[in-house]
Amino acid sequence: MNLNPVTPAFLETLQSVLPDRCLRPADPRYLEEPRGRWKGQAGAIVAPDSTEQVAAVLKAANAARVPVVPYGGGTGLVGGQIMADGPAPLLLSLERMTKIRALYPEENVMVADAGAILQDIHEAALAADRLFPMSIAAKGSARIGGCLATNAGGVNVLRYGNTRDLALGLEAVLPDGRIWNGLTRLRKDNTGYDLRDLLIGSEGTLGVITAAALKLAPRPAGEGTALIVVDSPAAALTLLSLARDHMGEGVSAFELIHGTGLEFLAEKLPQLRQPFAEAPEWMVLIDVGLARGIDPATALENLFVAGLEAGLVSDGLIAQSQQQRQDFWEIREQIPEANRLVGSISSHDISLPLSTIADFITKGGDILRRMGDFRINCFGHLGDGNLHYNVFPAKGRQKSDYLDQRDAVQRAVHDLVDEFDGSFSAEHGVGRLKVADLERYGDPVKLQMMRSIKTAFDPNGILNPGAVLRA
Amino acid sequence: MNLNPVTPAFLETLQSVLPDRCLRPADPRYLEEPRGRWKGQAGAIVAPDSTEQVAAVLKAANAARVPVVPYGGGTGLVGGQIMADGPAPLLLSLERMTKIRALYPEENVMVADAGAILQDIHEAALAADRLFPMSIAAKGSARIGGCLATNAGGVNVLRYGNTRDLALGLEAVLPDGRIWNGLTRLRKDNTGYDLRDLLIGSEGTLGVITAAALKLAPRPAGEGTALIVVDSPAAALTLLSLARDHMGEGVSAFELIHGTGLEFLAEKLPQLRQPFAEAPEWMVLIDVGLARGIDPATALENLFVAGLEAGLVSDGLIAQSQQQRQDFWEIREQIPEANRLVGSISSHDISLPLSTIADFITKGGDILRRMGDFRINCFGHLGDGNLHYNVFPAKGRQKSDYLDQRDAVQRAVHDLVDEFDGSFSAEHGVGRLKVADLERYGDPVKLQMMRSIKTAFDPNGILNPGAVLRA
């Protein structure tokens, strides 16, 4: 595509359609990303106040063939918000559009501007005695527009679905400035093609989401948490089945933890209390939220007993207080930090069909053992089939000792994932980091249709060029 | 578009790519639809054995510019499966592709051919102690491919979502014969645009779905049903909120019934036992499926008591046996039959934002009262905001007395729905019946994007021409 960088003349055009307060200084924080892999560039940064201003900006950029990078909280892990090369783009930040537009507790619906911070959405829902269940580690800075654009996942997907499943309607601006008003609060509406789900997960390449109608959930009457030692990943999966037989949709989270995670915690974050005297090889962290008339701790005890009888579990702790629930979760949530401190050779956000996970873990271990001396920390959202399968140096060695093996490790893991009909990106998206993976592992017809859709929405290719699809 | 009818030469091409058994005689049943509004036409009817054969057929039709009408169970209510005019099309029936390809109880996943009958899918799931929760009255003949193409709804949407929400992956053939293999069983997969949800609900205009990976659900440990007299639609909605506070996702169905429904049953199906000695004005039918350790009848009693204390309900029956549950459901399920026997002037499958429903019912009644002497039977899936708002002759008068008012009634109802940000088609789709409604009430930018997508997928316009979008 023939794109042009931001020029002084284009800046003048922007000034003619935007109030001065919407033009931001080129603060370097917009050009960094959490893992420090790339440095971005920007010819200008704008933060419109309104959907109409977003439309005016896109109309101008489309006329001038200037690339536009939509920007939410900047917390994406695959470089979707960072354009490192090509003509200097316009960075379009939603940071000034942060309103909760409306809340309908009786409908379990909230309508929010795309720039609203995820945590503010959580708090607004709680203030109405409701739950917005999608939650990720970056919730304090991630914006809902970015969560929608990337179809963010997190710990409650098992029960409540991905971000996609929590959106009823969207408002978005198309690359040429047309505004699509699809901000419906309806649960059922079969009137034409599903533009909503097409924009969700398109990572800012088809349109800029400016607002969303979000599903809320009632708060469960009682909640409980258990940390249970399981014999194997296969036993963990059977326990999950059992848990759902016992508690139905009441199982909110089902997280797998490996002993390597506890080992890393002991090594790098020794102040954190270890849950078991002797670190087990495999554990699951189970969170439940149940209806009235049933005590979560009792339900978890019953599950534990059933697991014992079925020979699946050998030890376990059931939280007796809110504090203990938080302590158990702290263990799970500090594992990524311990990983960061150890320093991974290669990290993978993969998903697999549930029934293949145990087999995958065995085969993955075998393959990596043949390739070298690694430690594997495999943990994550087991209930969704989503593993964070991260490969680390052997004890006493450094990440830098393995630089020449990094690509081979990544390739071996992704090849195996592909062999098992899994995904090389479960929840982080494609961004710019995984464009080549999508080309390698994606269905070729799907890629062709994605290109056709991109052309239909964005014939000049101005929106987030190079993300998802090669520019 | 320049389309050609099926010709003898085209039939020869079909014969060269399909075994003889796949060419069907022109049985008139393919050209009828349940409400008898239109007669279809077909130049030929084919029923391929395999995805590859579907691909060969579409490739040939695309090359010859012959229109293709995809055909599932033929149960659609908006004429999506019927092409009444234009060049005689090829009717492509999925009836020979009916296999359950695989079942993974431990994953809660089933993979089925698009031609599998919905009821067979229910039974296969039950045989594995699982539930495929999407259920509609036409389940004995509807095929899952058609349910997906139209995003069918039904009585369990409140808990389990529309058909869209129950699909993990699809296999589909594009209009030019390319096969998209998107048959994933993954719960999380953020690798590019969501083609799945684009095909779902596109009513056979973008591609022909040939198979799907479907989500199953665990069977609830205990189920219960209650029929509760409520003071008003507003009270019914507050009771729904209360029910979800008590039982969370355990509320499977929440159906509104109006006294007119009972009146019609008494009039036309007097053998059916009336639930209350004196017919109340408004009732709700509540179905729950709860986790272990909680008795559904007790939970429903607690809800009833809470409803009494809140001044929402005045009477109620809680089913004490499986037979009684069926009897309560029989009342709800026979209302459409009673409606048919009375004969409606105009029927509407509408949805509304939940918090506006009570107001809509009041205003709709006022408007219709000013227009003439009608009886309104307003009932349906209240929990989803989906009402079947049907308008009937006054007692002693006939449908035929109102012929000249029919269009005005429909227009008045749909205008009011639009004013309340509702939908003129909650679960039946657009088909050919509601193309003008979509043009009138749909967002204009949405319609433009739908046309762009249609062109990107089907540049020759061969697939189901005239459905959803005007040909």
Side-chain angles (χ1 to χ4, degrees), chain A residues 188, chain B residues 134-136 152-157 162 255 381 384 386 427:
Chain A
K188 274 180 161 177
Chain B
M134 199 281 291
S135 190
I136 53 178
V155 292
N156 291 320
V157 173
N162 294 290
E255 299 281 308
H381 318 303
D384 317 316
N386 180 189
E427 56 178 9

Side-chain angles (χ1 to χ4, degrees), chain B residues 360-381:
Chain B
F360 173 89
I361 291 176
T362 306
K363 283 207 182 153
D366 290 348
I367 288 171
L368 289 174
R369 238 186 315 280
R370 284 198 298 272
M371 290 178 71
D373 194 10
F374 305 110
R375 285 189 294 178
I376 302 169
N377 190 10
C378 167
F379 67 104
H381 318 303

Side-chain angles (χ1 to χ4, degrees), chain B residues 156-234:
Chain B
N156 291 320
V157 173
L158 180 65
R159 179 171 193 159
Y160 298 104
N162 294 290
T163 309
R164 180 189 307 289
D165 304 297
L166 298 171
L168 292 168
L170 295 183
E171 177 191 84
V173 183
L174 300 179
D176 60 6
R178 280 177 293 167
I179 298 170
W180 168 49
N181 180 1
L183 214 46
T184 174
R185 285 139 56 201
L186 302 174
R187 306 270 165 176
K188 273 179 163 179
D189 181 19
N190 276 345
T191 56
Y193 303 163
D194 185 1
L195 299 190
R196 175 191 67 195
D197 286 336
L198 190 56
L199 283 172
I200 293 174
S202 68
E203 305 187 35
T205 63
L206 298 179
V208 176
I209 295 169
T210 49
L214 302 168
K215 282 187 205 168
L216 305 177
R219 295 176 66 185
E223 295 176 303
T225 304
L227 194 57
I228 294 180
V229 177
V230 290
D231 284 4
S232 63

Side-chain angles (χ1 to χ4, degrees), chain A residues 406-426:
Chain A
R406 185 179 170 149
D407 289 350
V409 165
Q410 185 180 301
R411 178 69 184 273
V413 173
H414 285 177
D415 277 357
L416 188 65
V417 167
D418 188 52
E419 199 181 294
F420 276 84
D421 294 328
S423 168
F424 61 86
S425 188

Side-chain angles (χ1 to χ4, degrees), chain A residues 107 151 159 178 188-191 193 197 205 249 292 294 351 355 386 423 425 427 446 448, chain B residues 107 151 159 178 188-191 193 197 205 246 249 292 294 351 355 386 423 425 427 446 448:
Chain A
E107 294 183 12
N151 186 28
R159 180 171 194 161
R178 279 177 295 167
K188 274 180 161 177
D189 181 20
N190 275 346
T191 56
Y193 304 164
D197 285 336
T205 63
E249 294 98 328
R292 288 198 193 187
I294 179 158
S351 63
S355 64
N386 179 192
S423 168
S425 188
E427 54 178 12
K446 174 181 172 177
Q448 290 160 21
Chain B
E107 295 183 11
N151 186 31
R159 179 171 193 159
R178 280 177 293 167
K188 273 179 163 179
D189 181 19
N190 276 345
T191 56
Y193 303 163
D197 286 336
T205 63
H246 280 227
E249 294 97 329
R292 288 199 193 186
I294 179 158
S351 64
S355 64
N386 180 189
S423 168
S425 187
E427 56 178 9
K446 174 180 171 178
Q448 291 160 20

Side-chain angles (χ1 to χ4, degrees), chain B residues 343-418:
Chain B
S344 78
I345 299 166
S346 182
S347 300
H348 312 92
D349 165 39
I350 61 176
S351 64
L352 295 153
L354 275 188
S355 64
T356 71
I357 285 185
D359 205 14
F360 173 89
I361 291 176
T362 306
K363 283 207 182 153
D366 290 348
I367 288 171
L368 289 174
R369 238 186 315 280
R370 284 198 298 272
M371 290 178 71
D373 194 10
F374 305 110
R375 285 189 294 178
I376 302 169
N377 190 10
C378 167
F379 67 104
H381 318 303
L382 185 68
D384 317 316
N386 180 189
L387 299 178
H388 297 301
Y389 190 90
N390 297 355
V391 183
F392 294 87
K395 209 160 181 173
R397 298 183 64 192
Q398 302 299 317
K399 180 177 164 173
S400 51
D401 301 343
Y402 293 83
L403 279 182
D404 58 333
Q405 280 194 287
R406 185 178 171 152
D407 289 351
V409 165
Q410 184 179 303
R411 179 70 184 272
V413 173
H414 284 178
D415 277 358
L416 189 64
V417 167
D418 188 52

